[in-house]
Amino acid sequence: MNLPRPHWVGVAAGLSLAAALIASTMLVTSAWLRIAESQNITVTGSARKMVHSDLIIWRGSFSVEGATLLEAQRGLKRDLEKVEAFLAAKSFTNFSTSPISIQELRSRQKTEDGSFQDKAAGFRLSQSVELRSPEVERTLQLSRDSTSLVELGVVFATGAPEFIYTKAGEAKVEMLAEATKDARARAEQIAGQGGRRVDHLRSARMGVFQITPLHSLQTSWEGLNDTSSLEKTVSAVVTATFAMK
């Protein structure tokens, strides 16, 4: 069906008006989003500091062997007395001992018919001591001096000590504040390039808290709590959002 020319003109005008309204709405919406986004700035700040471990966990173990359980038990008791005397001489009394571990020793012996058979050969008894002390350096010296127990006939072995930083909770709060300051300084630098100024803090979210060996570049999404090194680095990351004016 052919419509009169004036009708087509009206339809075209209506379509143009609708398109203009849609475009205008999109422009206004886009402009509003840009304005809304420009009211905040989100940056990441970080803070690091070196700390010294203030608690050490030191462990040592010793063992004896005997043809009978009673013989091994008596030998272990004598060695325990030597270990306790050694620690007392170094003015360490706040140590603990583990339960005795018993292992039956067996050997393969050839029988008269040429076959082999496992037979009881004795017992090995072992025990360990653990010491927790805030005197880190003195305990390290104790670990070095423990070789004197070997000279007394004690089969004594020490493990690697654990170094703990017990003030991690306080450090976490302190690092949160420092990382937020760093974030603000970064935000001010960025905002200044656009002629804006940073106003108040809207929100802050702390990232993973890390305690790593000094100068280490280790990181973990779950956080690290190093116990292998005496000197450590505590680090924190904060994502902060600031209002702008």
Side-chain angles (χ1 to χ4, degrees):
M1 179 177 63
N2 295 324
L3 296 175
R5 183 177 180 80
H7 186 79
W8 276 110
V9 173
V11 172
L15 290 174
S16 297
L17 179 60
L21 288 172
I22 293 173
S24 176
T25 301
M26 292 177 64
L27 287 172
V28 171
T29 302
S30 177
W32 181 85
L33 287 173
R34 286 199 300 270
I35 293 172
E37 289 173 353
S38 68
Q39 302 310 304
N40 296 325
I41 182 171
T42 300
V43 294
T44 299
S46 62
R48 296 166 62 89
K49 78 169 185 176
M50 296 190 316
V51 298
H52 187 84
S53 301
D54 55 359
L55 177 69
I56 184 173
I57 302 175
W58 174 80
R59 298 181 181 91
S61 60
F62 53 100
S63 61
V64 298
E65 294 182 2
T68 65
L69 185 59
L70 180 60
E71 179 184 335
Q73 186 175 6
R74 287 172 176 169
L76 190 71
K77 183 179 179 181
R78 287 193 298 270
D79 283 357
L80 176 59
E81 290 173 352
K82 294 176 183 178
V83 171
E84 290 175 336
F86 164 76
L87 293 173
K90 301 292 182 179
S91 300
F92 287 100
T93 57
N94 58 329
F95 59 88
S96 60
T97 57
S98 70
I100 298 173
S101 174
I102 302 175
Q103 178 186 1
E104 185 179 11
L105 303 176
R106 304 189 69 83
S107 63
R108 291 179 62 81
Q109 297 181 6
K110 192 173 184 179
T111 61
E112 294 180 357
D113 61 3
S115 61
F116 290 89
Q117 183 178 4
D118 285 345
K119 291 189 176 181
F123 295 88
R124 177 185 294 121
L125 272 59
S126 57
Q127 199 166 17
S128 62
V129 293
E130 179 179 292
L131 175 66
R132 295 171 177 255
S133 173
E135 299 180 271
V136 178
E137 281 74 15
R138 201 164 74 86
T139 305
L140 283 174
Q141 185 59 48
L142 172 73
S143 182
R144 291 187 284 267
D145 293 343
S146 65
T147 54
S148 62
L149 285 168
V150 179
E151 298 173 1
L152 296 175
V154 181
V155 183
F156 193 86
T158 60
E162 293 183 32
F163 300 99
I164 310 296
Y165 181 60
T166 63
K167 300 176 183 177
E170 295 92 324
K172 193 171 185 178
V173 175
E174 177 187 347
M175 301 304 284
L176 175 60
E178 292 298 321
T180 303
K181 288 181 183 178
D182 181 62
R184 186 179 186 91
R186 293 170 186 257
E188 289 173 345
Q189 186 177 28
I190 296 170
Q193 299 298 318
R196 304 292 299 277
R197 287 189 300 162
V198 174
D199 198 359
H200 60 277
L201 174 68
R202 286 190 179 275
S203 65
R205 179 171 57 85
M206 188 170 188
V208 178
F209 187 69
Q210 313 270 1
I211 301 178
T212 58
L214 192 64
H215 306 308
S216 171
L217 299 178
Q218 285 181 280
T219 57
S220 169
W221 289 108
E222 298 177 354
L224 293 172
N225 186 10
D226 170 67
T227 60
S228 65
S229 58
L230 181 60
E231 304 291 342
K232 307 178 189 294
T233 298
V234 178
S235 59
V237 175
V238 168
T239 301
T241 299
F242 298 91
M244 291 200 301
K245 57 184 178 180

